[in-house]
PDB file of all heavy atoms in Angstrom:
ATOM      1  N   ILE A  71      24.458 -12.613 -25.509  1.00 91.00           N
ATOM      2  CA  ILE A  71      23.938 -11.821 -26.621  1.00 91.00           C
ATOM      3  C   ILE A  71      24.763 -12.154 -27.854  1.00 91.00           C
ATOM      4  O   ILE A  71      25.972 -11.905 -27.880  1.00 91.00           O
ATOM      5  CB  ILE A  71      23.999 -10.327 -26.285  1.00 91.00           C
ATOM      6  CG1 ILE A  71      23.026 -10.036 -25.150  1.00 91.00           C
ATOM      7  CG2 ILE A  71      23.681  -9.480 -27.518  1.00 91.00           C
ATOM      8  CD1 ILE A  71      23.170  -8.691 -24.528  1.00 91.00           C
ATOM      9  N   ASN A 252      19.876 -16.223 -13.849  1.00 89.00           N
ATOM     10  CA  ASN A 252      21.056 -16.615 -14.609  1.00 89.00           C
ATOM     11  C   ASN A 252      20.820 -17.836 -15.483  1.00 89.00           C
ATOM     12  O   ASN A 252      21.749 -18.360 -16.064  1.00 89.00           O
ATOM     13  CB  ASN A 252      22.223 -16.885 -13.656  1.00 89.00           C
ATOM     14  CG  ASN A 252      22.569 -15.636 -12.896  1.00 89.00           C
ATOM     15  OD1 ASN A 252      23.052 -14.671 -13.471  1.00 89.00           O
ATOM     16  ND2 ASN A 252      22.264 -15.614 -11.610  1.00 89.00           N
ATOM     17  N   ARG A 264       7.308 -10.258 -23.247  1.00 89.00           N
ATOM     18  CA  ARG A 264       5.943  -9.769 -23.077  1.00 89.00           C
ATOM     19  C   ARG A 264       5.787  -8.304 -23.466  1.00 89.00           C
ATOM     20  O   ARG A 264       4.780  -7.900 -24.037  1.00 89.00           O
ATOM     21  CB  ARG A 264       5.564  -9.952 -21.613  1.00 89.00           C
ATOM     22  CG  ARG A 264       4.114  -9.766 -21.290  1.00 89.00           C
ATOM     23  CD  ARG A 264       3.919  -9.937 -19.813  1.00 89.00           C
ATOM     24  NE  ARG A 264       4.441  -8.805 -19.101  1.00 89.00           N
ATOM     25  CZ  ARG A 264       3.683  -7.831 -18.613  1.00 89.00           C
ATOM     26  NH1 ARG A 264       2.396  -7.909 -18.743  1.00 89.00           N
ATOM     27  NH2 ARG A 264       4.223  -6.815 -17.991  1.00 89.00           N
ATOM     28  N   ARG A 268       2.991  -6.644 -28.628  1.00 85.00           N
ATOM     29  CA  ARG A 268       2.142  -5.978 -29.610  1.00 85.00           C
ATOM     30  C   ARG A 268       2.838  -5.852 -30.956  1.00 85.00           C
ATOM     31  O   ARG A 268       2.187  -5.774 -31.982  1.00 85.00           O
ATOM     32  CB  ARG A 268       1.737  -4.594 -29.114  1.00 85.00           C
ATOM     33  CG  ARG A 268       0.996  -4.604 -27.797  1.00 85.00           C
ATOM     34  CD  ARG A 268      -0.383  -5.239 -27.954  1.00 85.00           C
ATOM     35  NE  ARG A 268      -1.263  -4.401 -28.745  1.00 85.00           N
ATOM     36  CZ  ARG A 268      -2.111  -3.542 -28.236  1.00 85.00           C
ATOM     37  NH1 ARG A 268      -2.228  -3.430 -26.949  1.00 85.00           N
ATOM     38  NH2 ARG A 268      -2.863  -2.793 -29.014  1.00 85.00           N
ATOM     39  N   SER A 269       4.168  -5.787 -30.958  1.00 88.00           N
ATOM     40  CA  SER A 269       4.883  -5.619 -32.217  1.00 88.00           C
ATOM     41  C   SER A 269       5.606  -6.891 -32.657  1.00 88.00           C
ATOM     42  O   SER A 269       5.771  -7.109 -33.849  1.00 88.00           O
ATOM     43  CB  SER A 269       5.906  -4.488 -32.098  1.00 88.00           C
ATOM     44  OG  SER A 269       5.296  -3.319 -31.657  1.00 88.00           O
TER      45      SER A 269
ATOM     46  N   ASP B 234       1.284  -1.642 -14.560  1.00 87.00           N
ATOM     47  CA  ASP B 234       1.922  -2.458 -15.586  1.00 87.00           C
ATOM     48  C   ASP B 234       2.031  -1.711 -16.913  1.00 87.00           C
ATOM     49  O   ASP B 234       1.050  -1.157 -17.412  1.00 87.00           O
ATOM     50  CB  ASP B 234       1.109  -3.738 -15.769  1.00 87.00           C
ATOM     51  CG  ASP B 234       1.700  -4.603 -16.855  1.00 87.00           C
ATOM     52  OD1 ASP B 234       2.854  -5.029 -16.680  1.00 87.00           O
ATOM     53  OD2 ASP B 234       1.043  -4.811 -17.893  1.00 87.00           O
ATOM     54  N   GLU B 243      -3.965   3.034 -26.229  1.00 92.00           N
ATOM     55  CA  GLU B 243      -4.519   2.657 -27.530  1.00 92.00           C
ATOM     56  C   GLU B 243      -6.033   2.597 -27.493  1.00 92.00           C
ATOM     57  O   GLU B 243      -6.685   2.788 -28.518  1.00 92.00           O
ATOM     58  CB  GLU B 243      -3.908   1.331 -27.982  1.00 92.00           C
ATOM     59  CG  GLU B 243      -2.413   1.501 -28.246  1.00 92.00           C
ATOM     60  CD  GLU B 243      -1.805   0.377 -29.055  1.00 92.00           C
ATOM     61  OE1 GLU B 243      -2.283  -0.758 -28.912  1.00 92.00           O
ATOM     62  OE2 GLU B 243      -0.861   0.645 -29.818  1.00 92.00           O
ATOM     63  N   GLU B 259       7.973  -0.113 -27.661  1.00 90.00           N
ATOM     64  CA  GLU B 259       6.700   0.186 -28.324  1.00 90.00           C
ATOM     65  C   GLU B 259       6.541   1.673 -28.631  1.00 90.00           C
ATOM     66  O   GLU B 259       5.523   2.086 -29.182  1.00 90.00           O
ATOM     67  CB  GLU B 259       5.525  -0.287 -27.463  1.00 90.00           C
ATOM     68  CG  GLU B 259       5.532  -1.772 -27.164  1.00 90.00           C
ATOM     69  CD  GLU B 259       5.201  -2.634 -28.371  1.00 90.00           C
ATOM     70  OE1 GLU B 259       4.617  -2.114 -29.333  1.00 90.00           O
ATOM     71  OE2 GLU B 259       5.541  -3.824 -28.354  1.00 90.00           O
ATOM     72  N   ARG B 389      26.170  -8.664 -18.154  1.00 96.00           N
ATOM     73  CA  ARG B 389      26.542 -10.035 -17.817  1.00 96.00           C
ATOM     74  C   ARG B 389      27.134 -10.735 -19.037  1.00 96.00           C
ATOM     75  O   ARG B 389      28.166 -11.401 -18.951  1.00 96.00           O
ATOM     76  CB  ARG B 389      25.286 -10.778 -17.355  1.00 96.00           C
ATOM     77  CG  ARG B 389      25.471 -12.238 -17.074  1.00 96.00           C
ATOM     78  CD  ARG B 389      24.108 -12.832 -16.715  1.00 96.00           C
ATOM     79  NE  ARG B 389      24.226 -14.207 -16.287  1.00 96.00           N
ATOM     80  CZ  ARG B 389      24.171 -15.236 -17.117  1.00 96.00           C
ATOM     81  NH1 ARG B 389      24.012 -15.037 -18.410  1.00 96.00           N
ATOM     82  NH2 ARG B 389      24.282 -16.466 -16.648  1.00 96.00           N
ATOM     83  N   SER B 390      26.471 -10.538 -20.192  1.00 95.00           N
ATOM     84  CA  SER B 390      26.939 -11.150 -21.422  1.00 95.00           C
ATOM     85  C   SER B 390      28.292 -10.570 -21.841  1.00 95.00           C
ATOM     86  O   SER B 390      29.196 -11.303 -22.254  1.00 95.00           O
ATOM     87  CB  SER B 390      25.884 -10.914 -22.504  1.00 95.00           C
ATOM     88  OG  SER B 390      26.258 -11.493 -23.709  1.00 95.00           O
ATOM     89  N   ILE B 401      23.678 -12.751 -11.727  1.00 93.00           N
ATOM     90  CA  ILE B 401      22.668 -11.738 -11.401  1.00 93.00           C
ATOM     91  C   ILE B 401      21.810 -12.215 -10.236  1.00 93.00           C
ATOM     92  O   ILE B 401      21.373 -13.360 -10.205  1.00 93.00           O
ATOM     93  CB  ILE B 401      21.774 -11.466 -12.626  1.00 93.00           C
ATOM     94  CG1 ILE B 401      22.631 -10.960 -13.786  1.00 93.00           C
ATOM     95  CG2 ILE B 401      20.682 -10.467 -12.292  1.00 93.00           C
ATOM     96  CD1 ILE B 401      21.873 -10.753 -15.071  1.00 93.00           C
TER      97      ILE B 401
END
Side-chain angles (χ1 to χ4, degrees):
Chain A
I71 293 168
N252 298 292
R264 192 182 73 102
R268 301 292 291 265
S269 306
Chain B
D234 178 62
E243 294 196 328
E259 301 289 340
R389 175 184 186 271
S390 181
I401 300 176

